[in-house]
Amino acid sequence: MDASNLESLILSNHSWANIDFMQKVLQNKTRLKKLVLDNIGFSEEESLFPGPIQLRSFSVQIGKCHALRELHITSYFDALSLNSLDAQSLLSGLTELQHLHVCHLNPESLFAIHRYCPNLKCLNIADYVRHHSDFSLNAVLGYLQLSTNIEELDVSSSLYGDNSDNGVSTSDVREICRASNTLQRLVITAIASPGETESDFYTAAREESCGRVHLRIERVIYMF
């Protein structure tokens, strides 16, 4: 259980996870550089479902992994996400974090990312285009304008495949490229207006960033 020299830990596809056990697993992981919490759900039984105190305690424990460079908190379940956890307690100790992959992200959590993770280079927001998400492009732009190190932004929402029917327009691409002087790679799901083609998105990124931003399009949704 100790394994204090562990540098990578992946907990994936647990629909009946025990948060107390996961917290014990993370104890004394002072050298942990990569942590993946993917598709973690909890029992709906009231006595087993983690409450706010347990979620905050788990957040604090993650925040004690000061050596973390890469963190993934992604799930189809809403139970374990950066929003359900205490983002401030979780991120305040992760000043060396460089890669963050999250879903169910709100503007408050994004502000915490900016405040506590100044060295972040790659941000992947998996649920950017979900209908129930309270996230917005304006929040993304605000973060990019404040960040001085971000190099890659992924808002393609590829975690959810074809379940999304929304995405990023050509004007959105231009705004994103304008918002950051350090961004080098942008990954999107493109939503093309009538008359637009995929090449219009590449043109928008190239023109607005003077060739600095490399655009990758996961898929194109054509509006008619």
Side-chain angles (χ1 to χ4, degrees), residues 98-111:
Q98 296 183 6
H99 183 117
L100 180 61
H101 186 185
V102 291
C103 57
H104 312 303
L105 185 67
N106 61 29
E108 290 74 21
S109 296
L110 191 57
F111 178 76

Side-chain angles (χ1 to χ4, degrees), residues 6 12 19 59 61 67 69 86 139 149 170 190 206 213-214 223:
L6 194 68
S12 180
I19 197 167
S59 303
Q61 189 61 59
R69 300 293 189 276
D86 185 327
N149 286 308
T170 51
R206 183 176 62 254
V213 176
H214 172 72
M223 305 297 291

Side-chain angles (χ1 to χ4, degrees), residues 137-149:
L137 176 63
N138 285 336
V140 177
L141 297 175
Y143 171 78
L144 292 174
Q145 290 166 354
L146 293 171
S147 174
T148 57
N149 286 308

Side-chain angles (χ1 to χ4, degrees), residues 7-216:
E7 293 189 359
S8 180
L9 177 62
I10 299 175
L11 300 175
S12 180
N13 295 318
H14 294 283
S15 57
W16 295 80
N18 184 300
I19 197 167
D20 293 328
F21 173 76
M22 291 196 298
Q23 185 166 332
K24 289 179 181 178
V25 169
L26 287 175
Q27 289 178 352
N28 302 316
K29 299 299 185 296
T30 56
R31 298 187 181 183
L32 194 66
K33 294 181 179 179
K34 178 179 179 179
L35 174 61
V36 178
L37 302 174
D38 176 55
N39 220 22
I40 302 295
F42 303 102
S43 169
E44 294 184 0
E45 187 175 334
E46 187 174 352
S47 61
L48 298 176
F49 197 86
I53 294 177
Q54 287 176 296
L55 290 170
R56 185 181 186 281
S57 180
F58 185 56
S59 303
V60 171
Q61 189 61 59
I62 296 175
K64 291 180 180 179
C65 300
H66 302 304
L68 273 182
R69 300 293 189 276
E70 184 174 345
L71 175 62
H72 302 251
I73 306 178
T74 54
S75 179
Y76 288 99
F77 304 103
D78 289 345
L80 191 65
S81 67
L82 194 58
N83 285 353
S84 64
L85 296 169
D86 185 327
Q88 181 169 317
S89 298
L90 190 154
L91 295 170
S92 60
L94 306 184
T95 57
E96 300 303 316
L97 197 66
Q98 296 183 6
H99 183 117
L100 180 61
H101 186 185
V102 291
C103 57
H104 312 303
L105 185 67
N106 61 29
E108 290 74 21
S109 296
L110 191 57
F111 178 76
I113 293 170
H114 161 68
R115 181 177 181 182
Y116 297 112
C117 306
N119 295 306
L120 195 69
K121 295 182 181 297
C122 177
L123 177 61
N124 187 329
I125 306 169
D127 71 336
Y128 175 72
V129 297
R130 297 186 76 189
H131 288 303
H132 74 268
S133 175
D134 55 1
F135 202 60
S136 69
L137 176 63
N138 285 336
V140 177
L141 297 175
Y143 171 78
L144 292 174
Q145 290 166 354
L146 293 171
S147 174
T148 57
N149 286 308
I150 194 70
E151 295 178 357
E152 179 176 341
L153 176 68
D154 187 335
V155 289
S156 65
S157 196
S158 57
L159 179 66
Y160 300 97
D162 292 333
N163 292 331
S164 299
D165 60 358
N166 204 346
V168 175
S169 67
T170 51
S171 61
D172 293 338
V173 169
R174 290 184 180 277
E175 285 194 80
I176 291 171
C177 291
R178 281 198 301 267
S180 171
N181 293 322
T182 60
L183 192 67
Q184 298 177 18
R185 188 169 187 265
L186 175 62
V187 186
I188 66 169
T189 290
I191 181 164
S193 299
E196 285 187 329
T197 65
E198 186 172 340
S199 64
D200 291 320
F201 289 84
Y202 293 107
T203 299
R206 183 176 62 254
E207 289 180 349
E208 208 61 52
S209 68
C210 297
R212 169 176 42 85
V213 176
H214 172 72
L215 179 67
R216 175 179 173 181

